[in-house]
Amino acid sequence: MYNGTSNHPFMNKQLYIYDCLSGKLRASDGNFMTIGAGEKNTFRLHMKSENGGSFAQRDNVCRFFPHGHVSTYSLNGVEMKADVVIHPERMYLFVLSEGCFICWYGTDSTRPDFSQYSPNIWFLYNPSLEEWYGPYALTDLPMVAPELPDDVLATFQGLEHCAFLLRDIVPVASFAASTTEAATESEVGQANSPSELRCPNCWELFQPAQVLSIACHPELRGDEKLGENAMRRFIPEAWNPSGLPLDAMGISCNEYACPHCHRKLPPFFLNTHQHIISLVGVPAAGKSYYLTSMVSELETLFPREFGMPFRDADPVTNEPLNEMRMRLFSAQTPQEAYLAKTHMHGRLYQKIWKQGMQVHMPRPFIYNLNKGDETYSIVLYDNAGEDYQPGSDTPLTPGSQHLSVSSGILFLFDPTANPGFRRLLQESSDPQLRNNLYRPGRQALLLAESEMRLRTRLNLPPSEKLNVPLAIIIGKSDTWKHLLGPEPLLPAVRNGMFMPEHIDINSTRLRQFIFNIAPHICTSAEAISSNVRYFAASALGESPVEFMDERSGTVLIGPASGSVRPMRVADPLLWVLHNASPSLIPSSHS
């Protein structure tokens, strides 16, 4: 006889639903419970359907019924069409109407600890190779999936011994991305929102909560992505009184890493506004010289004109570029000042774990600008020109993909490699006009290739233009500036104020000048962006000289020793930063 108490295994049980998109847990002990996106559901979940199904408890049995408009759903990796019994004390992983959730039917004392789950951090497992990949953000999974077999599993931080099929999760991830698309669409090409961070090494997005700490104890060597000599990356579980994470040996750690590639992030990365700046140009256009001269000029210009320090964010990471600066500005001979061509596998590149494989990508050079309590991070790259050649943008060579996430693009046009300029400069003694690297038409081809990559990655139709600032820099101006006439260009900075109106006047004049010589450069640039300006600059200030390389016995072209005087190399970056963060630099438009 029933006496008011019962130990029956099916009595006093609740149904728990954990939404894997929102991370929220809900419980109900009713007899009839609905799920869906609509407000009136017992369990309101992130999914397409207003009402996706219902759970019914009758005669100590819990059963799930899909609603009529839901033709199929996935349950623990198996495609289902009809209703199903939910047995006690078991995990049920549902994918239904572009939503995914976990169902548990049982007592509160035996249910899983859902508080340890972190659906922001996903991992993949390849059964055939017994390999793990990740971590990834949920919205990264559609990009990774095409490269992986059909039986790969997907799980997230804290969900042990259970997994979804990756092929089931891809539509969920795409739906999750589409629900936030309207909020982020206007930010394409601009700085990241405070809720999202972008790694300067691999360019993947992640949430602040996903950032990994880097272990400090010497016994904690060996990282799954960076190898046995790297310090282990980990998700903190304990902190010291100052708020620093503790590694497994109890040592406090103050360095952090990207959850995707595991590369170290710059100090104070979580508290900076980041601007990635893309420098584009054909091989031998002078990108390394331009980048080196520009950084040197900015280090002086910002404190002098705006009272703002321009500093290394990480001297160790920036060491190759700083070494080039010392070489260029302290040399006594052309050979000492010579900067070798950037190679795709050279020291200006690093190995990065990206989409399940190791690839060579350009090393970021990061500098900080401080304005009051705000810190802005300027990220620069010295790509090899080959990164921008047609056919080079592949999963194995993704080195130019920062174009699609940059706050501004600097296109370095080399007039010594243009047929029109060469004809006008036949009387010049500049050795660059005689070099054998000259290839007619390749700069226009590079612009067309850049446009194709941007449109493809941003899903931009041919009729639509980017609004990202695009600076066309007519480089090596010391060679051709006499062709522009005697009137000098207006200064970009006057009395501690950036002058956008001067940039516009100069740009109109330079556009007409270059259009008369190479009109295809203007038309190609203006097909990419609705915000194009033209600049004149010289990284060296005068023509380089030829010298004999003692090691190879070949004739090279390098800076004349002691005569490096850059001209207007900072103007394009000032204009880009003014567009990206109008309040950063004092200007006449403030």
Side-chain angles (χ1 to χ4, degrees), residues 8 20 27 45 47 95 211 245 277 309 325-326 385 397 518:
H8 191 284
C20 300
L45 305 180
M47 61 171 58
V95 178
V211 172
I277 309 297
R325 290 174 58 196
M326 292 180 61
T397 54

PDB file of all heavy atoms in Angstrom, residues 8 20 27 45 47 95 211 245 277 309 325-326 385 397 518:
ATOM      1  N   HIS A   8      10.463   4.579  -5.481  1.00  0.00           N
ATOM      2  CA  HIS A   8      10.338   4.095  -6.853  1.00  0.00           C
ATOM      3  C   HIS A   8      11.304   4.879  -7.749  1.00  0.00           C
ATOM      4  O   HIS A   8      11.365   6.103  -7.686  1.00  0.00           O
ATOM      5  CB  HIS A   8       8.899   4.278  -7.336  1.00  0.00           C
ATOM      6  CG  HIS A   8       8.632   3.561  -8.627  1.00  0.00           C
ATOM      7  ND1 HIS A   8       9.062   4.030  -9.836  1.00  0.00           N
ATOM      8  CD2 HIS A   8       7.970   2.398  -8.866  1.00  0.00           C
ATOM      9  CE1 HIS A   8       8.677   3.195 -10.802  1.00  0.00           C
ATOM     10  NE2 HIS A   8       8.000   2.200 -10.228  1.00  0.00           N
ATOM     11  N   CYS A  20      22.614  24.708 -25.320  1.00  0.00           N
ATOM     12  CA  CYS A  20      24.034  24.796 -25.663  1.00  0.00           C
ATOM     13  C   CYS A  20      24.393  26.091 -26.393  1.00  0.00           C
ATOM     14  O   CYS A  20      25.583  26.357 -26.615  1.00  0.00           O
ATOM     15  CB  CYS A  20      24.453  23.607 -26.524  1.00  0.00           C
ATOM     16  SG  CYS A  20      24.216  22.017 -25.715  1.00  0.00           S
ATOM     17  N   ALA A  27      14.710  23.748 -15.500  1.00  0.00           N
ATOM     18  CA  ALA A  27      14.163  22.512 -14.931  1.00  0.00           C
ATOM     19  C   ALA A  27      12.650  22.626 -14.812  1.00  0.00           C
ATOM     20  O   ALA A  27      12.102  23.710 -14.613  1.00  0.00           O
ATOM     21  CB  ALA A  27      14.775  22.244 -13.553  1.00  0.00           C
ATOM     22  N   LEU A  45      14.210  28.162 -25.935  1.00  0.00           N
ATOM     23  CA  LEU A  45      15.554  27.857 -26.392  1.00  0.00           C
ATOM     24  C   LEU A  45      15.907  28.672 -27.633  1.00  0.00           C
ATOM     25  O   LEU A  45      15.019  29.170 -28.335  1.00  0.00           O
ATOM     26  CB  LEU A  45      15.682  26.364 -26.727  1.00  0.00           C
ATOM     27  CG  LEU A  45      15.307  25.363 -25.629  1.00  0.00           C
ATOM     28  CD1 LEU A  45      15.494  23.947 -26.145  1.00  0.00           C
ATOM     29  CD2 LEU A  45      16.136  25.583 -24.383  1.00  0.00           C
ATOM     30  N   MET A  47      16.546  28.564 -31.126  1.00  0.00           N
ATOM     31  CA  MET A  47      16.346  27.710 -32.296  1.00  0.00           C
ATOM     32  C   MET A  47      15.448  28.460 -33.273  1.00  0.00           C
ATOM     33  O   MET A  47      14.932  29.537 -32.957  1.00  0.00           O
ATOM     34  CB  MET A  47      15.730  26.362 -31.906  1.00  0.00           C
ATOM     35  CG  MET A  47      14.369  26.463 -31.249  1.00  0.00           C
ATOM     36  SD  MET A  47      13.561  24.840 -31.037  1.00  0.00           S
ATOM     37  CE  MET A  47      14.752  23.967 -30.048  1.00  0.00           C
ATOM     38  N   VAL A  95      19.746  17.851 -31.469  1.00  0.00           N
ATOM     39  CA  VAL A  95      19.914  18.930 -32.449  1.00  0.00           C
ATOM     40  C   VAL A  95      18.598  19.020 -33.193  1.00  0.00           C
ATOM     41  O   VAL A  95      18.206  18.085 -33.896  1.00  0.00           O
ATOM     42  CB  VAL A  95      21.067  18.657 -33.426  1.00  0.00           C
ATOM     43  CG1 VAL A  95      21.156  19.789 -34.450  1.00  0.00           C
ATOM     44  CG2 VAL A  95      22.389  18.522 -32.678  1.00  0.00           C
ATOM     45  N   VAL A 211      40.154  33.084 -23.344  1.00  0.00           N
ATOM     46  CA  VAL A 211      41.602  33.296 -23.359  1.00  0.00           C
ATOM     47  C   VAL A 211      42.294  32.271 -22.474  1.00  0.00           C
ATOM     48  O   VAL A 211      41.857  31.993 -21.352  1.00  0.00           O
ATOM     49  CB  VAL A 211      41.938  34.723 -22.888  1.00  0.00           C
ATOM     50  CG1 VAL A 211      43.434  34.904 -22.717  1.00  0.00           C
ATOM     51  CG2 VAL A 211      41.404  35.731 -23.889  1.00  0.00           C
ATOM     52  N   PRO A 245      45.911  34.146 -12.684  1.00  0.00           N
ATOM     53  CA  PRO A 245      45.608  32.707 -12.704  1.00  0.00           C
ATOM     54  C   PRO A 245      46.780  31.886 -12.184  1.00  0.00           C
ATOM     55  O   PRO A 245      47.945  32.279 -12.325  1.00  0.00           O
ATOM     56  CB  PRO A 245      45.331  32.426 -14.181  1.00  0.00           C
ATOM     57  CG  PRO A 245      46.035  33.503 -14.921  1.00  0.00           C
ATOM     58  CD  PRO A 245      45.998  34.711 -14.050  1.00  0.00           C
ATOM     59  N   ILE A 277      46.434  46.758 -39.559  1.00  0.00           N
ATOM     60  CA  ILE A 277      46.700  47.545 -40.761  1.00  0.00           C
ATOM     61  C   ILE A 277      47.412  46.647 -41.774  1.00  0.00           C
ATOM     62  O   ILE A 277      48.458  46.075 -41.473  1.00  0.00           O
ATOM     63  CB  ILE A 277      47.585  48.776 -40.452  1.00  0.00           C
ATOM     64  CG1 ILE A 277      46.987  49.573 -39.277  1.00  0.00           C
ATOM     65  CG2 ILE A 277      47.741  49.637 -41.682  1.00  0.00           C
ATOM     66  CD1 ILE A 277      45.630  50.163 -39.526  1.00  0.00           C
ATOM     67  N   PRO A 309      52.517  58.800 -26.596  1.00  0.00           N
ATOM     68  CA  PRO A 309      53.614  57.854 -26.813  1.00  0.00           C
ATOM     69  C   PRO A 309      53.225  56.769 -27.821  1.00  0.00           C
ATOM     70  O   PRO A 309      52.084  56.296 -27.825  1.00  0.00           O
ATOM     71  CB  PRO A 309      53.854  57.253 -25.424  1.00  0.00           C
ATOM     72  CG  PRO A 309      52.545  57.412 -24.718  1.00  0.00           C
ATOM     73  CD  PRO A 309      51.921  58.660 -25.257  1.00  0.00           C
ATOM     74  N   ARG A 325      65.116  48.322 -38.167  1.00  0.00           N
ATOM     75  CA  ARG A 325      65.223  49.767 -37.950  1.00  0.00           C
ATOM     76  C   ARG A 325      66.651  50.167 -37.587  1.00  0.00           C
ATOM     77  O   ARG A 325      67.192  51.148 -38.119  1.00  0.00           O
ATOM     78  CB  ARG A 325      64.264  50.189 -36.845  1.00  0.00           C
ATOM     79  CG  ARG A 325      62.798  50.124 -37.228  1.00  0.00           C
ATOM     80  CD  ARG A 325      61.918  50.425 -36.031  1.00  0.00           C
ATOM     81  NE  ARG A 325      62.216  51.729 -35.470  1.00  0.00           N
ATOM     82  CZ  ARG A 325      61.829  52.132 -34.266  1.00  0.00           C
ATOM     83  NH1 ARG A 325      61.152  51.313 -33.484  1.00  0.00           N
ATOM     84  NH2 ARG A 325      62.122  53.333 -33.837  1.00  0.00           N
ATOM     85  N   MET A 326      67.266  49.423 -36.686  1.00  0.00           N
ATOM     86  CA  MET A 326      68.647  49.718 -36.297  1.00  0.00           C
ATOM     87  C   MET A 326      69.585  49.573 -37.478  1.00  0.00           C
ATOM     88  O   MET A 326      70.492  50.384 -37.676  1.00  0.00           O
ATOM     89  CB  MET A 326      69.068  48.790 -35.156  1.00  0.00           C
ATOM     90  CG  MET A 326      68.341  49.037 -33.845  1.00  0.00           C
ATOM     91  SD  MET A 326      68.889  47.921 -32.533  1.00  0.00           S
ATOM     92  CE  MET A 326      70.617  48.357 -32.416  1.00  0.00           C
ATOM     93  N   GLY A 385      55.818  39.567 -50.901  1.00  0.00           N
ATOM     94  CA  GLY A 385      54.946  39.932 -52.015  1.00  0.00           C
ATOM     95  C   GLY A 385      54.243  38.741 -52.621  1.00  0.00           C
ATOM     96  O   GLY A 385      53.132  38.857 -53.157  1.00  0.00           O
ATOM     97  N   THR A 397      48.626  28.361 -47.311  1.00  0.00           N
ATOM     98  CA  THR A 397      49.319  29.661 -47.373  1.00  0.00           C
ATOM     99  C   THR A 397      48.304  30.789 -47.166  1.00  0.00           C
ATOM    100  O   THR A 397      47.959  31.508 -48.099  1.00  0.00           O
ATOM    101  CB  THR A 397      50.037  29.827 -48.725  1.00  0.00           C
ATOM    102  OG1 THR A 397      49.083  29.623 -49.787  1.00  0.00           O
ATOM    103  CG2 THR A 397      51.179  28.850 -48.868  1.00  0.00           C
ATOM    104  N   ALA A 518      48.722  55.883 -65.114  1.00  0.00           N
ATOM    105  CA  ALA A 518      48.279  54.494 -64.904  1.00  0.00           C
ATOM    106  C   ALA A 518      46.824  54.500 -64.440  1.00  0.00           C
ATOM    107  O   ALA A 518      46.538  54.237 -63.267  1.00  0.00           O
ATOM    108  CB  ALA A 518      49.175  53.807 -63.885  1.00  0.00           C
TER     109      ALA A 518
END
